[in-house]
Amino acid sequence: MVEISHNISLLSVCDATPTSFGSFEEFLVSLSSKIKQEGWTHIIVFRDRPIENVEKSLLNLDTKIKIVKPSKLGIINFVRFYKIIKEVQPNYVHFHFYPIYSIMNYLSFLLDVKIIYTDHMGSRKPNSIVKKIMRKPYYFTCSKFFSPGIEKIICVSEFVKSKYSKEYGINPKKMCVIYNGINTARFQKKINTKGIREKYNLKEKFIVTCVGIRFDKGPHCLVKAASLILQRVPNVQFVLVGDGKFKNYLEKLIDDHKVKDHIIMTGTLTDVTDIYSISSCVVVPSICEEAFCFIVAEAMAMEVPVIAFDSGAIKEVIHNKFQVVPKDHTVLADRVVEILTEEDTSDKKEMRAHIIENFPLEKCVNEHILLYKKLLNSK
């Protein structure tokens, strides 16, 4: 095998703007730390300037940050990134959250770079027969035009790999699975939670949490389930974490279901570990198909039971498959009541052990570095 030179650089292109120090941002920081240890250079492109603690963490590791807001026109993006690649001369360009089939892949023929993709996003099933019929031929056509130039596609779950092979027409040889990882040292249950309860004015015995105020994350399903849960377990408060346009719809739905006195909306939080620490269970009612689901891994690492819809890769991440339920708010309500009223807590330690073994951040970062080295040695 060829000796790896220390003059290696990685350009990570992220169609994202860090507004909190979440698990993806922590991955970028940990990857930057590992790259620095290897003597390599890391350059990261964001849509907009990240929040201060993310920016400082990266800059302290000698990571360079560039800001490029993608255009809707592929040719403009092509020119912009051509200039950046010419300037920084990376060995790899790793696209995160970008469409896999695009004109960008032809950069590898003009410049001496290896192009890698990771699509962290879930997917929705076609909502019409026409879209369902056209989807497969559309992607198979795109695969003929745009797959040349792609060195490797990192799939964050076996579900994603299967989806790409069946629906996108991607050659399985171009794909590999590297599961996302979380910082298990940060996601540990906090013992003293009295101050946290006082901070959010949470007085009821049971706390049921849902993270993500977006339609695809399904918080409306929990709101619909709330009244059914309260009929059987009255001393419950529901915490909805996040913000966004969907909040207005949720507030009306909360009023319609007459559960306003039992629901608290926290807005966007820079750190969700406090909320996880006081949660009796975390509900993940995703109506999209989750590519991985950090929320499931984070909550279980903090020994909090998770109840999730049968969505995408969640079955690969969750410890107890019994906690996966059909996408139905009445079934969700039944399962939440079971969790809140059961006395056996022996499963909680096993949940954390499951995450530490299978989804630690260190494992995820190390597998990325090994892949980069392997690709550099390949012809």
Side-chain angles (χ1 to χ4, degrees):
M1 184 172 284
V2 178
E3 184 75 19
I4 298 294
S5 168
H6 288 287
N7 300 319
I8 303 298
S9 65
L10 167 67
L11 176 64
S12 295
V13 183
C14 308
D15 189 9
T17 302
T19 56
S20 65
F21 211 128
S23 287
F24 176 70
E25 289 75 22
E26 205 151 23
F27 161 73
L28 291 176
V29 172
S30 296
L31 182 64
S32 292
S33 177
K34 188 69 175 179
I35 284 173
K36 185 177 181 180
Q37 291 175 26
E38 294 285 339
W40 299 1
T41 302
H42 195 194
I43 308 102
I44 302 180
V45 175
F46 292 119
R47 289 180 62 93
D48 291 297
R49 187 175 178 180
I51 58 172
E52 185 178 4
N53 57 347
V54 173
E55 184 177 52
K56 281 186 175 180
S57 296
L58 291 170
L59 294 177
N60 286 341
L61 293 166
D62 299 325
T63 301
K64 300 172 185 176
I65 298 175
K66 291 182 175 290
I67 307 301
V68 177
K69 191 167 186 177
S71 168
K72 292 181 179 179
L73 297 176
I75 189 63
I76 294 178
N77 295 327
F78 184 90
V79 172
R80 286 174 177 171
F81 286 113
Y82 177 86
K83 292 179 179 178
I84 292 174
I85 294 169
K86 285 284 285 184
E87 175 192 347
V88 302
Q89 296 185 346
N91 299 87
Y92 321 88
V93 180
H94 192 158
F95 289 101
H96 297 268
F97 302 104
Y98 274 79
I100 289 171
Y101 289 149
S102 76
I103 194 174
M104 308 289 281
N105 301 331
Y106 288 97
L107 287 167
S108 65
F109 296 108
L110 299 178
L111 303 161
D112 186 20
V113 293
K114 294 180 183 294
I115 291 182
I116 307 162
Y117 279 92
T118 302
D119 181 2
H120 304 263
M121 304 298 287
S123 62
R124 294 184 187 177
K125 293 181 179 179
N127 54 13
S128 72
I129 295 175
V130 174
K131 286 184 178 180
K132 188 174 183 179
I133 293 172
M134 293 301 297
R135 188 174 190 172
K136 186 170 287 188
Y138 169 77
Y139 282 120
F140 270 78
T141 302
C142 286
S143 71
K144 301 301 180 184
F145 284 99
F146 299 120
S147 63
I150 301 175
E151 194 73 26
K152 189 65 70 173
I153 297 168
I154 297 175
C155 305
V156 296
S157 64
E158 292 290 346
F159 167 79
V160 171
K161 184 177 179 181
S162 176
K163 178 188 73 172
Y164 284 160
S165 179
K166 292 177 180 178
E167 299 182 15
Y168 285 33
I170 294 175
N171 185 342
K173 292 181 180 180
K174 282 187 177 284
M175 296 185 284
C176 68
V177 175
I178 299 179
Y179 285 106
N180 287 324
I182 65 164
N183 184 346
T184 55
R186 181 162 76 93
F187 288 99
Q188 292 193 69
K189 194 171 186 67
K190 299 176 182 178
I191 305 302
N192 187 4
T193 59
K194 182 180 178 181
I196 301 172
R197 280 181 168 268
E198 290 176 351
K199 177 181 177 180
Y200 293 100
N201 195 28
L202 296 167
K203 300 176 181 178
E204 299 290 3
K205 179 180 179 182
F206 299 113
I207 308 298
V208 177
T209 299
C210 182
V211 179
I213 306 300
R214 300 198 322 245
F215 174 78
D216 60 329
K217 293 298 180 182
H220 54 291
C221 298
L222 178 59
V223 173
K224 291 177 182 178
S227 58
L228 301 176
I229 295 168
L230 290 166
Q231 288 172 17
R232 297 154 68 182
V233 187
N235 51 346
V236 180
Q237 279 185 290
F238 302 90
V239 177
L240 304 181
V241 179
D243 212 338
K245 296 178 182 178
F246 195 58
K247 182 178 178 180
N248 294 333
Y249 172 82
L250 279 179
E251 289 174 338
K252 184 179 184 306
L253 191 67
I254 290 167
D255 288 336
D256 291 344
H257 283 263
K258 297 180 174 57
V259 291
K260 187 174 182 179
D261 291 342
H262 289 269
I263 292 183
I264 290 177
M265 304 180 81
T266 66
T268 301
L269 300 179
T270 55
D271 184 0
V272 294
T273 57
D274 280 356
I275 295 297
Y276 286 145
S277 290
I278 58 171
S279 296
S280 307
C281 72
V282 169
V283 172
V284 185
S286 298
I287 58 175
C288 66
E289 298 301 314
E290 291 281 359
F292 175 80
C293 196
F294 279 118
I295 297 166
V296 171
E298 292 167 357
M300 287 194 300
M302 297 190 67
E303 303 175 32
V304 184
V306 174
I307 304 167
F309 278 170
D310 189 356
S311 166
I314 284 179
K315 281 182 178 177
E316 297 177 50
V317 183
I318 204 163
H319 172 246
N320 188 344
K321 302 297 187 293
F322 183 52
Q323 308 299 80
V324 178
V325 300
K327 295 177 182 178
D328 184 304
H329 74 276
T330 59
V331 179
L332 177 66
D334 290 341
R335 191 69 193 105
V336 170
V337 170
E338 289 180 39
I339 288 292
L340 297 182
T341 55
E342 68 181 12
E343 296 181 0
D344 184 13
T345 60
S346 60
D347 194 43
K348 292 184 178 180
K349 295 293 183 183
E350 293 179 9
M351 287 189 292
R352 177 166 174 79
H354 168 72
I355 298 302
I356 290 174
E357 180 182 355
N358 296 289
F359 309 110
L361 182 58
E362 298 83 359
K363 180 180 179 182
C364 174
V365 169
N366 287 338
E367 288 182 359
H368 276 78
I369 295 296
L370 287 173
L371 176 64
Y372 295 145
K373 289 181 177 179
K374 182 179 179 181
L375 292 180
L376 198 66
N377 281 316
S378 64
K379 293 182 179 180

